[in-house]
Amino acid sequence: MIGRPTRPTTGARATLVLLAAMALPAAPRAGAQPSLEALFHEAAEAYARGDHDTAASHYERLIEAGVSDPDVHYDLALAELRRDRFGSAIRHLRIALTLRPGDAEAEATLAAARTALVSARAESEGTAVVQEGAPLLEVLGGSFTEPTLAAATLLLLFASLLARGVRTQLRGNARRAAGGAAALLFPLFALAGAGVLERRGVFRDGPRAVVLVDRVALREGPDERAQVRSEAREGEDAVVLGEDERWRRVRLHDGRQGWAPAEAVGLVDGG
């Protein structure tokens, strides 16, 4: 069982949630609906006493209210792990990492969640397949914020051009050293620039998603009577290629494609 890693104090994190919610449009108050702060505290208290169903429900209500905060998604993921809802946990951990790239704690919990899913599957089925790692560009794009990557791109470009310019004024070993520096800096510039483009989704065919339930049939078309092409397992990464009412056409990490019920595929981007 995955334990609850250390996070900021409830008071400080509730403040962060409220700050994230301040930009939301005002909505009419309905009866005795709890405030966002009260809902957050109730969710944390429910988790602490082991009521993971209530905790998950409260965190989901915060998200539905428009709160886009990495801590809320992270805490919801922990509650989902306690309920053995691995696909949902993986989805919310990936959203948390999208909102706060490079969070070592969330990355470690995501790896632990995938391991727990594999272990649970191996225990019930006698075997399990581990999903391959994310592509290099997604790893790079997910490790740094877009402003950081953009700043690095500009600095590396400037340094590469400077090294090339200085090289023409030098002789001997100094000239060779400047040429070597320029040759090293330009690929780094290209990699950082590719990271910016990846963060903006330029290299993706659609929003990222995660399969939420196990053994989802991937069909030829958006119809329960359509022929089954393949099967998706809980926790698999996917890209949504299209939508049709209650269906989503997805491509899995290994290239398999098909239509799946929308409720079986949770969005990471725009979800």
Side-chain angles (χ1 to χ4, degrees), residues 42-115:
E42 289 173 11
E45 290 169 0
Y47 186 97
R49 65 174 181 267
D51 186 356
H52 304 121
D53 291 340
T54 297
S57 175
H58 286 358
Y59 287 129
E60 286 170 351
R61 287 174 62 187
L62 284 168
I63 293 168
E64 289 169 1
V67 176
S68 181
D69 180 86
D71 282 318
V72 172
H73 284 282
Y74 181 87
D75 288 351
L76 173 54
L78 292 181
E80 293 291 62
L81 283 173
R82 294 292 189 180
R83 302 199 299 165
D84 293 334
R85 293 168 53 93
F86 299 105
S88 178
I90 290 170
R91 176 201 176 202
H92 286 287
L93 286 166
R94 294 192 64 195
I95 294 175
L97 285 166
T98 298
L99 296 171
R100 185 187 289 143
D103 185 332
E105 192 173 311
E107 289 174 347
T109 306
L110 176 58
R114 293 193 186 280
T115 299

Side-chain angles (χ1 to χ4, degrees), residues 211-261:
V211 179
L212 301 179
V213 296
D214 204 22
R215 299 191 180 282
V216 178
L218 300 181
R219 299 182 182 275
E220 292 279 359
D223 192 307
E224 292 181 356
R225 297 165 295 183
Q227 183 177 351
V228 176
R229 300 178 60 177
S230 186
E231 182 181 75
R233 302 301 302 267
E234 182 181 8
E236 284 194 273
D237 293 334
V239 172
V240 177
L241 304 175
E243 299 196 39
D244 186 324
E245 295 183 352
R246 298 180 296 103
W247 296 81
R248 285 177 174 152
R249 185 164 71 91
V250 300
R251 184 179 65 234
L252 301 181
H253 63 98
D254 58 4
R256 288 175 293 136
Q257 298 185 28
W259 289 88

Side-chain angles (χ1 to χ4, degrees), residues 165-195:
V166 170
R167 178 177 177 273
T168 62
Q169 308 298 320
L170 300 176
R171 296 289 184 273
N173 291 336
R175 181 185 178 91
R176 286 190 291 273
L184 176 63
L185 288 168
F186 189 79
L188 292 175
F189 151 72
L191 191 60

Side-chain angles (χ1 to χ4, degrees), residues 21-31 33-36 64-66:
M22 286 178 64
L24 300 178
R29 297 192 57 156
Q33 288 292 329
S35 68
L36 294 178
E64 289 169 1

